[in-house]
């Protein structure tokens, strides 16, 4: 569950408007790249409401929203869960008033909150010092002793200002998303529940509208195994590069196409109203559970049309 913290210091420059707008676009793309890995768990914390941000001195966020290509990014950012101020991420009653973080001698509340909570800091890459996948901070903590002194420690915080920086943190982000996903799947008792939260748990996968009926008819004994298979398919397409792997992703479990004599059973109506061949499939226990889908190479994903008993049984 990645919590993102906006570095307010990266929004205090006097850079020219075009440079600030480009930097904001880069940062938002990084934020959305994180959200694609864990839509349900990603939250963005900032010093003030997102729609009231000043991206630089005298440069309100509205000026960026009006630039070419920014509108769609802005809408997607608003659809995320955003909170303010940074301390809203702290446990109830905790202020961390005895700790201060500095970068290059300057207090940095957002970067500090990211380190305190184990989150990910994000910045506008306006200045070179913010254009890195990790930042070094100096942490000063008051000591609880008679002398009333403090201790200085150098720490590093995970950071992203561009989409490329997010790639460095993907294994960590996915581990967190996997843990949350597994916990959610373990608590499911019906296929209808699984269908209702599929977009949050498996944001990379697609489903035909008609697949809902198959999910809602799942017996309880198949719900958790199906959720586990969906998680494996999600991980496979997340790493899929169709240029390097033109046939299929690197599957996490036994996945194959149907035998030619059985392909006549694998035609389903897709959302375009046309029948398509969904002959890629995987098993789930207890046997004979099957899930059928087709690959969408251009979109780097797959679309699921059927889940239930092995077709023809």
């Amino acid at each position: 569950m990645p919590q993102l913290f906006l570095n307010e210091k990266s929004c205090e420059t006097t850079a020219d408007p075009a440079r600030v707008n480009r930097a904001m676009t880069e940062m938002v793309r990084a934020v959305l790249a994180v959200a694609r890995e864990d839509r349900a768990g990603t939250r963005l914390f900032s010093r003030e409401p997102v729609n009231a941000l000043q991206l630089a001195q005298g440069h309100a966020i509205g000026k960026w929203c009006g630039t070419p290509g920014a509108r769609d990014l802005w809408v997607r950012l608003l659809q995320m869960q955003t909170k303010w101020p940074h301390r809203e991420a702290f446990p109830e009653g905790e202020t961390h008033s005895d700790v201060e973080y500095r970068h290059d001698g300057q207090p940095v509340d957002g970067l500090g909150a990211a380190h305190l909570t184990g989150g990910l800091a994000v910045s506008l890459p306006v200045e070179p010092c913010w254009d890195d996948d990790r930042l070094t901070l100096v942490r000063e903590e008051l000591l609880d002793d008679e002398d009333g002194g403090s201790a200085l420690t150098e720490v590093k915080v995970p950071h992203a200002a561009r989409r490329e920086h997010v790639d460095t943190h993907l294994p960590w982000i996915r581990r967190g998303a996997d843990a949350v996903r597994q916990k959610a799947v373990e608590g499911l008792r019906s296929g209808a529940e699984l269908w209702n939260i599929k977009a949050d748990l498996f944001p990379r996968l697609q489903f035909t509208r008609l697949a809902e009926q198959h999910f809602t008819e799942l017996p309880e004994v198949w719900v958790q195994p199906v959720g586990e298979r969906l998680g494996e398919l999600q991980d496979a397409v997340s790493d899929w590069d169709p240029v390097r792997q033109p046939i299929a992703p690197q599957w996490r479990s036994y996945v194959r196409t149907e035998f030619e004599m059985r392909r006549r059973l694998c035609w389903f109506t897709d959302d375009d109203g046309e029948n398509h061949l969904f002959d890629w499939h995987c098993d789930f226990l207890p046997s004979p559970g099957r899930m059928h889908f087709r690959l969408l190479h251009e979109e780097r994903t797959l679309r699921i049309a059927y889940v239930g008993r092995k077709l023809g049984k």
Side-chain angles (χ1 to χ4, degrees):
M1 186 174 69
Q3 295 190 133
L4 311 182
F5 295 84
L6 178 61
N7 169 23
E8 73 284 351
K9 287 298 178 183
S10 69
C11 302
E12 296 179 359
T13 67
T14 56
D16 66 88
R19 184 177 172 187
V20 173
N21 288 334
R22 286 195 299 269
M24 180 62 177
T25 295
E26 291 284 353
M27 190 200 74
V28 173
R29 285 174 175 164
V31 169
L32 295 177
V34 176
R36 278 195 296 272
E37 299 298 329
D38 185 4
R39 182 183 302 177
T42 303
R43 293 172 176 80
L44 175 63
F45 293 83
S46 55
R47 180 173 57 183
E48 55 193 341
V50 172
N51 58 6
L53 285 177
Q54 294 289 317
L55 306 183
Q57 295 182 26
H59 192 107
I61 194 171
K63 295 183 178 180
W64 167 75
C65 293
T67 60
R71 181 64 183 174
D72 179 60
L73 294 175
W74 173 236
V75 171
R76 292 162 63 192
L77 186 65
L78 289 179
Q79 291 172 343
M80 287 181 52
Q81 295 190 58
T82 59
K83 294 188 176 184
W84 64 91
H86 300 121
R87 63 175 177 271
E88 284 296 308
F90 299 161
E92 186 175 355
E94 180 60 75
T95 63
H96 292 292
S97 58
D98 57 342
V99 183
E100 183 178 66
Y101 290 82
R102 298 186 184 89
H103 181 276
D104 197 22
Q106 297 296 314
V108 281
D109 294 341
L111 298 179
H115 186 264
L116 284 167
T117 61
L120 177 71
V122 294
S123 302
L124 274 70
V126 179
E127 302 294 342
C129 63
W130 308 128
D131 198 355
D132 205 343
D133 59 16
R134 277 181 173 78
L135 298 179
T136 300
L137 312 177
V138 174
R139 168 186 166 119
E140 182 175 10
E141 184 174 9
L142 298 178
L143 298 177
D144 188 16
D145 58 19
E146 295 180 356
D147 296 334
S150 61
L152 298 178
T153 310
E154 190 174 90
V155 299
K156 290 188 179 293
V157 62
H159 177 262
R162 302 183 187 275
R163 175 65 181 83
E164 294 78 7
H165 297 155
V166 176
D167 293 340
T168 305
H169 308 299
L170 282 179
W172 166 63
I173 295 169
R174 287 172 180 169
R175 283 195 300 271
D178 288 347
V180 173
R181 182 177 69 201
Q182 184 61 36
K183 184 176 181 180
V185 168
E186 290 174 355
L188 295 174
R189 295 294 177 266
S190 72
E193 292 178 347
L194 179 57
W195 177 265
N196 289 335
I197 63 173
K198 67 186 187 307
D200 289 334
L201 297 185
F202 318 107
R204 295 271 183 153
L205 304 182
Q206 296 183 15
F207 302 77
T208 68
R209 287 193 295 268
L210 296 179
E212 180 178 5
Q213 176 183 347
H214 303 302
F215 274 85
T216 56
E217 293 175 351
L218 279 176
E220 182 177 343
V221 69
W222 272 346
V223 174
Q224 184 173 335
V226 168
E228 293 171 352
R229 285 292 178 268
L230 290 173
E232 292 167 351
L233 295 176
Q234 158 89 10
D235 292 341
V237 298
S238 294
D239 292 333
W240 186 27
D241 182 354
V243 175
R244 292 188 296 106
Q245 300 165 296
I247 297 177
Q250 181 67 48
W251 302 113
R252 274 33 174 198
S253 58
Y254 185 36
V255 176
R256 68 277 191 198
T257 56
E258 191 59 89
F259 293 116
E260 184 172 357
M261 66 181 66
R262 288 181 47 81
R263 288 180 183 170
R264 61 181 177 80
L265 302 172
C266 305
W267 291 85
F268 294 91
T269 303
D270 209 334
D271 293 351
D272 60 4
E274 301 292 332
N275 285 339
H276 293 270
L277 181 62
F278 290 79
D279 64 331
W280 282 95
H281 64 287
C282 59
D283 306 342
F284 52 86
L285 297 175
S287 186
R290 294 289 190 275
M291 181 153 43
H292 280 261
F293 53 89
R294 68 186 183 101
L295 295 177
L296 304 175
H297 288 71
E298 292 184 357
E299 300 179 51
R300 293 181 55 185
T301 188
L302 56 84
R303 185 173 296 143
I304 296 164
Y306 173 82
V307 59
R309 290 180 61 84
K310 180 179 179 180
L311 295 170
K313 285 286 187 178

